[in-house]
Amino acid sequence: MTTVSLPHTTTFDLGPARALSCRECGHRILLAAEFACAECFGPLEVAYDFGTVTRADIESGPRSIWRYRRLLPVPSDVDTYPNTQPGLTRLVKADRLAAALGVRSLWVKDDTGNPTHSFKDRVVAVALAAARQLGFTVLACPSTGNLANAVAAAAARAGWQSVVLIPASLERAKILTTAVYDGALIAVDGNYDDVNRLATELAAEHEDWAFVNVNVRPYYAEGSKTLGYEVAEQLGWRLPGQIVVPVASGAQLTKVDKGFREFGELGLVEPTPYRVFGAQATGCSPVAAAFKAGHDVVSPVKPNTIARSLAIGAPADGPYVLDAVRRTGGAVEDVSDDEIVAGIRLLARTEGIFAETAGGVTVATAKKLIDTGQLDPDAETVLLITGDGLKTLDAIQDCVGPRATVPPSTEAVRQALQDRLSGI
């Protein structure tokens, strides 16, 4: 938990947020639309003065992420503004998947239930609330898909204009589910890292555009803490023994870890040990490669994977992912595209949850970690499923479908099911 005693010397109402603090050198500045330290160019994050927060305070709040508003950089009346009200998604006791993986106790945090069917609704809601206070009028982002959906929807709900930049090669479903909100959707010839560089240039040129993951990134990233908060609350105010988190930029993993630590330091849960594991696709696994090599520096790669929502070749929070997994005794592992598809199908078959490719990465990585002895099969485990499979249908279109096409007769159906009738 980052707590400061600085006076509140800004007119911005961002709740318990008091300053921005550099993650590298500790230099602090007043709350502003800044994301890089002027002293060392390190990333800035929000520093707080939380005061006293109780379980009762949280439990009496809205059934959304705003129940944690006293722990976020948002005003106390944030839920009175038009917003998508994400969060408080279900935590599923996954006994059938646990049996298939060989784990004693397994939970799936199913974030497909958010308004645009991914965890990105959380971070965008926080970014929008902060952007409103900071005086912005346009909500914008570079995106690998899920963020594009969330920004376009949140802006439409709030009555703002949106500007969304995506790689032209993005999955068709994610393009359509962004375009339907009628914002300014721009496809760019290039990969996500090209799009991100373009967004940074545009953010410097347009002072009224809040690029959620660029110039208001310190506030945006805090939204991911709510995943950690919810897991702990839904487990009965306790921390799991281990958690597997998909890694793109790496911010989600580091903020889930931060959420666990904040709950412990505030006395909301007993600060029991836990281990954090990162999951990447082999076709874009710079953090996993650095972890396995024992490096502290994450070398950029050119993405080549079906898990496009995780295809960030130069992850901004990569080094901090390494810090978190090493500090907690976890690991970062990667899986092939074939393993990703198998992970999607395994989760669907055992728990009735259809995940996008990022979810397939999480499940397949958990299996690999168990098979290699890195994940403790006797420890209570949580898997984060962060996006809906309807967004990435192309990943499974060639391997699933009707078992047979038959004429309309009971005999034809019996023949088609002959090898399965004993189980029906």
Side-chain angles (χ1 to χ4, degrees), residues 5 236 305 379 382 410:
S5 57
T305 174
V382 174
T410 57

Side-chain angles (χ1 to χ4, degrees), residues 62-121:
R63 294 191 60 79
S64 69
I65 62 170
W66 304 135
R67 67 199 288 108
Y68 308 112
R69 62 190 178 278
R70 293 179 62 178
L71 304 174
L72 295 169
V74 299
S76 58
D77 62 348
V78 62
D79 54 329
T80 65
Y81 295 93
N83 68 89
T84 58
Q85 298 182 320
L88 217 62
T89 55
R90 60 182 185 157
L91 183 69
V92 178
K93 189 71 167 68
D95 292 336
R96 282 172 48 79
L97 180 59
L101 295 177
V103 179
R104 181 180 60 81
S105 178
L106 183 66
W107 300 84
V108 169
K109 180 58 171 168
D110 180 14
D111 238 29
T112 68
N114 276 311
T116 67
H117 310 289
S118 89
F119 89 98
K120 290 294 187 180
D121 291 313

Side-chain angles (χ1 to χ4, degrees), residues 26 38 54 127 247 413:
T54 67
V247 173
V413 172

Side-chain angles (χ1 to χ4, degrees), residues 119-128 147 219-224:
F119 89 98
K120 290 294 187 180
D121 291 313
R122 298 173 180 271
V123 291
V124 168
V126 175
L128 173 60
L147 183 58
Y219 310 98
Y220 155 93
E222 292 293 283
S224 286

Side-chain angles (χ1 to χ4, degrees), residues 100-418:
L101 295 177
V103 179
R104 181 180 60 81
S105 178
L106 183 66
W107 300 84
V108 169
K109 180 58 171 168
D110 180 14
D111 238 29
T112 68
N114 276 311
T116 67
H117 310 289
S118 89
F119 89 98
K120 290 294 187 180
D121 291 313
R122 298 173 180 271
V123 291
V124 168
V126 175
L128 173 60
R132 182 184 289 113
Q133 292 295 317
L134 293 168
F136 290 100
T137 59
V138 175
L139 202 64
C141 72
S143 175
T144 58
N146 286 326
L147 183 58
N149 295 171
V151 164
R157 172 70 178 136
W160 285 34
Q161 177 60 269
S162 63
V163 176
V164 173
L165 309 176
I166 57 171
S169 61
L170 194 64
E171 297 100 333
R172 182 67 175 163
K174 288 180 179 176
I175 294 175
L176 295 177
T177 51
T178 301
V180 71
Y181 298 106
D182 207 24
L185 176 63
I186 307 296
V188 178
D189 288 328
N191 61 28
Y192 173 78
D193 298 299
D194 298 320
V195 175
N196 192 49
R197 282 191 294 272
L198 177 59
T200 302
E201 294 170 8
L202 289 168
E205 295 176 5
H206 298 273
E207 294 184 355
D208 59 336
W209 291 12
F211 277 87
V212 297
N213 49 347
V214 182
N215 51 0
V216 292
R217 183 178 179 84
Y219 310 98
Y220 155 93
E222 292 293 283
S224 286
K225 295 192 306 184
T226 62
L227 272 164
Y229 293 159
E230 285 181 22
V231 166
E233 183 182 354
Q234 291 171 322
L235 285 176
W237 297 103
R238 58 185 174 81
L239 302 180
Q242 50 199 13
I243 187 167
V244 184
V245 184
V247 173
S249 74
Q252 182 185 76
L253 184 148
T254 63
K255 295 303 182 180
V256 168
D257 171 56
K258 186 180 182 185
F260 284 171
R261 287 185 286 123
E262 286 178 346
F263 260 28
E265 292 170 7
L266 287 166
L268 294 168
V269 299
E270 183 180 351
T272 53
Y274 59 88
R275 296 196 296 162
V276 181
F277 294 85
Q280 291 203 294
T282 301
C284 187
S285 53
V287 186
F291 177 81
K292 293 174 185 178
H295 295 162
D296 295 326
V297 175
V298 176
S299 299
V301 300
K302 185 175 181 179
N304 182 21
T305 174
I306 61 170
R308 292 175 189 158
S309 62
L310 303 183
I312 297 180
D317 281 68
Y320 304 107
V321 169
L322 296 174
D323 291 343
V325 299
R326 286 170 177 159
R327 173 174 47 79
T328 63
V332 188
E333 187 56 88
D334 60 277
V335 289
S336 69
D337 284 358
D338 287 345
E339 289 173 304
I340 293 168
V341 173
I344 293 171
R345 298 183 68 183
L346 177 61
L347 179 61
R349 182 170 67 248
T350 56
E351 299 299 339
I353 297 171
F354 183 22
E356 67 163 7
T357 47
V361 170
T362 300
V363 174
T365 296
K367 181 180 186 303
K368 190 170 184 179
L369 290 166
I370 293 164
D371 291 346
T372 56
Q374 298 178 82
L375 203 67
D376 182 358
D378 293 322
E380 186 171 49
T381 305
V382 174
L383 307 184
L384 295 192
I385 302 302
T386 54
D388 196 312
L390 293 175
K391 298 186 177 195
T392 57
L393 292 173
D394 55 329
I396 50 93
Q397 65 183 357
D398 294 331
C399 58
V400 298
R403 292 189 174 274
T405 300
V406 301
S409 74
T410 57
E411 176 58 28
V413 172
R414 279 196 297 272
Q415 288 294 322
L417 292 176
Q418 190 167 14

